[in-house]
Amino acid sequence: MGYLESGGMLTESHLTALWFIRNETPVLWLGAAVSSGFFVLAKRETRRLLTEGKIWSRNKDRRMESLIISLDSWKKSWPPEENFFVVVKEFYDAAPDLETKEKLLKWAENRKVLLVSVKA
């Protein structure tokens, strides 16, 4: 993360080589994907990890809280031509449980956006 925070960029092959980080700390890995400009990959993997229950509110490792905290920085990095709230709506749709969905809804509501009304 220090490399990325100092302006470094990972290639897709470097990011792929770090799959072990994705398994241990998925939100950190997803953040590295976003920081490196791999938005499609980050979106796809976030949805997959949510669907598989690797990121959800019942994990004792607080992965969902880490995701919620990360969303604001992701939003700043996300390409402006893609509505980031539509992306978060996709995360909401992939969320495996009500508590996770509620956390994503609260994040959006705090930004004056209703996820249920966001059009894809």
Side-chain angles (χ1 to χ4, degrees):
M1 287 312 294
Y3 173 72
L4 293 170
E5 289 174 10
S6 64
M9 301 284 280
L10 296 175
T11 64
E12 191 167 356
S13 62
H14 287 132
L15 193 59
T16 303
L18 298 173
W19 283 99
F20 66 95
I21 292 174
R22 191 202 66 183
N23 294 334
E24 292 297 318
T25 53
V27 177
L28 182 66
W29 186 88
L30 293 166
V34 170
S35 295
S36 297
F38 297 109
F39 304 107
V40 172
L41 175 68
K43 181 169 58 170
R44 182 185 68 232
E45 288 299 309
T46 301
R47 285 191 322 250
R48 188 180 68 71
L49 289 164
L50 281 161
T51 301
E52 291 177 358
K54 303 274 173 49
I55 299 174
W56 70 318
S57 294
R58 295 186 183 165
N59 283 357
K60 293 183 181 180
D61 59 12
R62 310 195 50 86
R63 290 178 179 180
M64 188 60 207
E65 288 77 4
S66 297
L67 177 64
I68 295 296
I69 291 167
S70 298
L71 290 178
D72 284 317
S73 66
W74 292 11
K75 184 179 182 301
K76 291 176 190 171
S77 299
W78 216 262
E81 62 272 6
E82 185 175 11
N83 182 341
F84 187 70
F85 294 109
V86 172
V87 174
V88 175
K89 171 74 166 79
E90 291 180 32
F91 297 165
Y92 172 87
D93 291 340
D97 65 303
L98 185 59
E99 187 177 347
T100 300
K101 288 180 183 288
E102 287 174 352
K103 288 180 180 184
L104 288 165
L105 275 176
K106 184 173 180 172
W107 178 87
E109 288 170 357
N110 287 341
R111 282 136 195 92
K112 310 294 187 229
V113 174
L114 296 174
L115 289 184
V116 292
S117 66
V118 172
K119 301 280 188 238

